[in-house]
Amino acid sequence: MATRRPRRAPRTPGEHFAVLDPATGEDFAQAPDQQPEELDAVVARAREAWRSWRADPVARTTALLAAADAVTAAGADLAPLLTREQGKPLAEAEAEIARTAARLRYFAALAPEPQPQPLDDGRPVRSEVRWRSLGPVAAIVPWNFPLQLASAKFAPALAAGNTMVLKPSPHTPLATRLLGSVVATALPENVLTVVTGQEPLGARLASHPGIRQVTFTGSVPTGRAVAVGAAASLTRATLELGGNDAAVLLEDVDVERIADRLFWAAFRNCGQVCMAVKRVYVPARLHCDVVEALAERAKAVVVGAGLDPGTQLGPVNNAPQLARVEHYTARALADGARAAAGGHRLDRPGYFHAPTILTDVPPDSPVVTQEQFGPVLPVLPYGNLDEAVAAANDTGFGLGGSVWGTDLDLAGAVAERLECGTAWINHHAELSLAQPFAGTKDSGVGVAGGPWGLYGNLRPFVVHRPEGP
């Protein structure tokens, strides 16, 4: 089948760029193509707004709670727009909006606490650690969860008293622009600013001397570039990068009982989740059973446009990502793998790829060693548990991992051996707003989520004072 070329509108610098519907591959809207030189004024306004925003924590709490209510009220407008540009089923878009509002409410309720520090040399002096905001901070977010990841950055930053300049992916700018407008109705002017545009807008934002912290979610190569740009201004950087999460199934696993959960842990959002299951390691005697159970679900799932009520799995978001998924799949098949389900792009308009279960995959195939970020899942047999753990850890990534079995003590012991930031037992990729989210190795630098996310947007300020007059 001939590869379709996406329709691209010509770019006019300083005006607008086309936004494509991944269900059709056609452009359906335009977004402002802001230029790097515009950032000087944007950051200056954010800095001016910071002077009053940082001064009143009670007003901040009230504003963030009002913003959460506004997001909930705007859900009927936000959800279909998010689905149209991102591709995910409407129910998943609605869940993303609910999570966005919940995160605003969570961080509105947090406040940094002063911490008395005793001196150990007997001096009549009290010491206390207090917390100060940083100033204007920047956030650069990807296209897989544009609203949820935007809120994961602006909710703690604003709660800490910072202002923010937020740049969404050019693939998904529209819902983020609308979200910014909705949230801004509850905030003072210029506390949250959304800028949209193509590169080098993001590079300039990351390296802008008026930005005091950069937080980025995306690929490892781009994350490295963001870190280099931020370093030029000695700006702090939090990088949430890729993942290649392994699921390790134990000998006592109940295959039918866990098959649905395991399938959706890999295929939710069309596999475009940094902490999705991307490799499955199975005891050799159960390998055929697991492949069959997952393939049965892959063949039965309804693939279609996200706005269609019956759709369970939408398209890949964009043409370059679809090409990456196709390449990894074709390479695995050429190297001897077999597709128990799928294995190909769907012959229809848009960026659709069949849900794919691969077996007999060489362990050094890129679909195993790299982050495929699409609806493709390799299932690999192992001979003993040590071999499985070693294979799960044999990656440059270290975001998440999971262990599946009936003996929870054994599963817990195996989970302790996984080299990652979060490990789950008998489920995967479920997060609480109150817990830290961080990876090891190439999966990132810094911590997001929970109180760690709040304090990551603050700097300590120490005050010493005598105990007497």
Side-chain angles (χ1 to χ4, degrees):
M1 182 177 65
T3 301
R4 300 183 183 90
R5 289 186 173 274
R7 178 180 169 189
R8 297 184 185 274
R11 178 186 180 190
T12 304
E15 293 187 4
H16 292 81
F17 62 93
V19 181
L20 305 186
D21 181 342
T24 65
E26 301 291 325
D27 60 278
F28 75 98
Q30 301 275 314
D33 192 11
Q34 293 175 260
Q35 298 300 292
E37 55 267 23
E38 297 178 50
L39 291 175
D40 289 345
V42 170
V43 174
R45 289 192 294 268
R47 183 168 186 82
E48 185 61 32
W50 170 59
R51 301 183 190 282
S52 55
W53 178 250
R54 64 181 173 175
D56 191 341
V58 175
R60 289 201 302 270
T61 296
T62 300
L64 292 175
L65 290 174
D69 291 341
V71 171
T72 299
D77 295 321
L78 284 165
L81 183 58
L82 174 58
T83 288
R84 187 79 188 276
E85 66 177 352
Q86 201 282 330
K88 65 185 61 182
L90 188 59
E92 292 185 24
E94 291 167 346
E96 183 167 343
I97 292 158
R99 185 77 164 182
T100 297
R103 186 170 271 112
L104 279 164
R105 294 188 180 98
Y106 174 81
F107 281 104
L110 291 187
E113 297 292 336
Q115 300 171 358
Q117 299 292 313
L119 298 179
D120 56 8
D121 58 4
R123 286 179 295 160
V125 174
R126 286 183 293 166
S127 173
E128 185 175 74
V129 178
R130 302 173 186 174
W131 298 92
R132 288 185 167 178
S133 58
L134 305 173
V137 300
I140 302 172
V141 297
W143 43 258
N144 58 332
F145 288 94
L147 303 191
Q148 185 169 314
L149 291 173
S151 68
K153 299 182 185 308
F154 68 65
L158 301 186
N162 303 301
T163 54
M164 173 167 281
V165 181
L166 169 66
K167 180 195 171 295
S169 164
H171 294 296
T172 53
L174 302 176
T176 308
R177 277 175 53 83
L178 179 55
L179 175 66
S181 297
V182 169
V183 170
T185 62
L187 305 177
E189 190 174 12
N190 299 317
V191 166
L192 174 64
T193 306
V194 177
V195 295
T196 61
Q198 303 177 87
E199 286 307 312
L201 184 66
R204 173 57 177 162
L205 179 60
S207 62
H208 196 284
I211 292 295
R212 300 319 310 144
Q213 174 160 277
V214 179
T215 175
F216 168 81
T217 299
S219 70
V220 174
T222 306
R224 294 185 192 278
V226 166
V228 170
S233 298
L234 297 179
T235 300
R236 289 161 45 166
T238 298
L239 308 175
E240 301 171 27
L241 307 179
N244 191 12
D245 290 13
V248 178
L249 277 57
L250 303 181
E251 287 280 356
D252 65 350
V253 71
D254 185 332
V255 175
E256 279 304 314
R257 186 174 181 181
I258 61 99
D260 280 340
R261 271 175 285 155
L262 181 59
F263 178 83
W264 286 110
F267 286 90
R268 183 172 69 97
N269 199 28
C270 204
Q272 299 166 129
V273 184
C274 60
M275 53 184 170
V277 170
K278 297 186 176 74
R279 304 170 285 151
V280 179
Y281 293 96
V282 185
R285 73 174 185 86
L286 297 175
H287 182 255
C288 289
D289 293 341
V290 172
V291 168
E292 181 179 346
L294 293 174
E296 177 184 326
R297 286 155 175 82
K299 293 172 182 176
V301 70
V302 178
V303 180
L307 291 176
D308 292 345
T311 291
Q312 296 173 288
L313 205 67
V316 175
N317 174 257
N318 57 78
Q321 185 57 34
L322 177 60
R324 177 185 177 94
V325 173
E326 286 187 284
H327 171 72
Y328 281 171
T329 303
R331 169 73 181 273
L333 294 173
D335 289 344
R338 177 177 63 85
H344 54 85
R345 177 178 179 163
L346 295 179
D347 188 12
R348 64 175 76 166
Y351 307 137
F352 291 96
H353 194 282
T356 298
I357 304 297
L358 296 176
T359 184
D360 303 326
V361 187
D364 61 349
S365 175
V367 80
V368 177
T369 62
Q370 301 299 315
E371 182 182 31
Q372 67 270 34
F373 217 65
V376 178
L377 182 65
V379 183
L380 301 99
Y382 68 83
N384 61 67
L385 199 50
D386 288 341
E387 175 188 318
V389 172
N393 290 336
D394 186 19
T395 174
F397 296 100
L399 195 57
S402 56
V403 183
W404 305 69
T406 304
D407 184 339
L408 298 184
D409 290 336
L410 174 60
V414 175
E416 287 282 352
R417 298 171 63 187
L418 297 181
E419 297 171 358
C420 57
T422 305
W424 295 270
I425 296 171
N426 289 336
H427 62 115
H428 195 105
E430 296 179 20
L431 295 174
S432 161
L433 294 175
Q435 73 185 59
F437 180 65
T440 63
K441 299 188 255 189
D442 284 349
S443 285
V445 177
V447 183
W452 300 267
L454 179 72
Y455 283 96
N457 281 277
L458 295 161
R459 64 177 178 85
F461 172 66
V462 182
V463 175
H464 292 260
R465 60 174 293 175
E467 292 190 337

